[in-house]
């Protein structure tokens, strides 16, 4: 364990910033936290430097290396500039964007870097940072509760999870490039 972002914080998403620092989105805490990491240290510090910004419903964070921006998803899609001070990492708020509905859940940069996958409790699709437009995913758009989504650049397959009991699922769904779906389910314990 490197550090604790807070009791009952529920860190929901994590990414590594260009300088090795860590950023998390904590849904119970409603915060985006940037944690200072000294990669040269032989032991972890007892209390690393942590700077935070508020984001109601914080669930997703992703570093966009192409645009040199941090994207964070909660009830809003927020954009931040990262002040790359390894010892005292800071986020500078740029703007807030209304997603198709509040309650953002997962945020993932497409492999080509041209768009962000965005999921909410009742919507799944893409956000184009260059145009500012949201576009519904052709197969997943109205599927409620997509909790996690990822895409393989080479095969073009999209993997996602969707709860079957409250907030969890024993299944992973995969859409191939043509949109054909397969499901892998773990049964038993």
């Amino acid at each position: 364990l490197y550090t604790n972002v807070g009791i009952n914080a529920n860190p929901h998403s994590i990414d590594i910033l260009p300088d090795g620092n860590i950023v998390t989105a904590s849904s119970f805490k409603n915060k985006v936290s940037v944690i200072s990491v000294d990669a040269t240290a032989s032991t972890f510090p007892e209390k690393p430097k942590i700077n935070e910004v508020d984001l109601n419903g914080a669930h997703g964070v992703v570093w966009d290396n192409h645009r040199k921006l941090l994207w964070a998803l909660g009830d809003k899609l927020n954009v931040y500039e990262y002040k790359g001070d390894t010892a005292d990492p800071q986020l500078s708020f740029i703007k807030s964007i209304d997603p198709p509905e509040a309650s953002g859940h997962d945020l993932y940069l497409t492999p080509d870097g041209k768009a962000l996958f965005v999921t909410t409790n009742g919507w799944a699709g893409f956000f184009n940072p260059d145009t500012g437009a949201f576009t519904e995913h052709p197969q997943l758009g109205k599927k409620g509760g997509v909790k996690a989504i990822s895409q393989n650049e080479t095969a073009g397959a999209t993997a996602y999870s969707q709860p079957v009991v409250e907030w969890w699922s024993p299944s992973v769904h995969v859409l191939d490039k043509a949109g054909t779906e397969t499901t892998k389910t773990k049964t038993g314990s």
Side-chain angles (χ1 to χ4, degrees):
L1 175 67
Y2 185 76
T3 190
N4 185 336
V5 292
I7 296 173
N8 298 322
N10 194 28
H12 213 279
S13 181
I14 188 168
D15 207 348
I16 299 174
L17 296 166
D19 60 1
N21 284 340
I22 297 169
V23 60
T24 66
S26 297
S27 60
F28 291 172
K29 201 173 175 184
N30 293 311
K31 300 275 187 192
V32 174
S33 305
V34 184
I35 304 160
S36 177
V37 176
D38 181 356
T40 63
S42 58
T43 60
F44 294 139
E46 191 168 318
K47 291 195 116 205
K49 178 74 175 175
I50 300 175
N51 289 318
E52 298 177 318
V53 294
D54 294 330
L55 177 58
N56 193 48
H59 264 70
V61 289
V62 66
W63 174 252
D64 182 344
N65 199 47
H66 175 72
R67 294 173 187 83
K68 307 295 184 216
L69 295 172
L70 180 76
W71 299 89
L73 181 66
D75 288 345
K76 303 278 187 181
L77 177 59
N78 284 358
V79 187
Y80 301 93
E81 179 184 7
Y82 174 59
K83 306 291 186 176
D85 180 346
T86 305
D88 188 21
Q90 301 286 328
L91 294 176
S92 178
F93 177 79
I94 296 174
K95 66 180 173 178
S96 191
I97 302 159
D98 288 322
E101 67 173 38
S103 70
H105 206 279
D106 199 20
L107 187 63
Y108 177 78
L109 191 64
T110 58
D112 63 10
K114 293 181 180 177
L116 295 161
F117 278 113
V118 176
T119 72
T120 68
N121 283 343
W123 186 88
F126 305 95
F127 174 73
N128 182 325
D130 297 328
T131 65
F134 286 93
T135 307
E136 193 171 279
H137 190 283
Q139 288 85 21
L140 304 177
K142 296 273 193 256
K143 269 192 185 206
V146 173
K147 295 290 188 178
I149 194 163
S150 184
Q151 186 177 47
N152 177 279
E153 182 174 16
T154 306
T158 300
Y160 71 96
S161 67
Q162 185 178 27
V164 293
V165 179
E166 293 185 47
W167 50 266
W168 65 273
S169 173
S171 305
V172 173
H173 306 273
V174 178
L175 295 168
D176 65 17
K177 266 185 172 175
T180 305
E181 184 169 335
T182 58
T183 301
K184 177 69 176 167
T185 302
K186 169 103 170 130
T187 57
S189 55

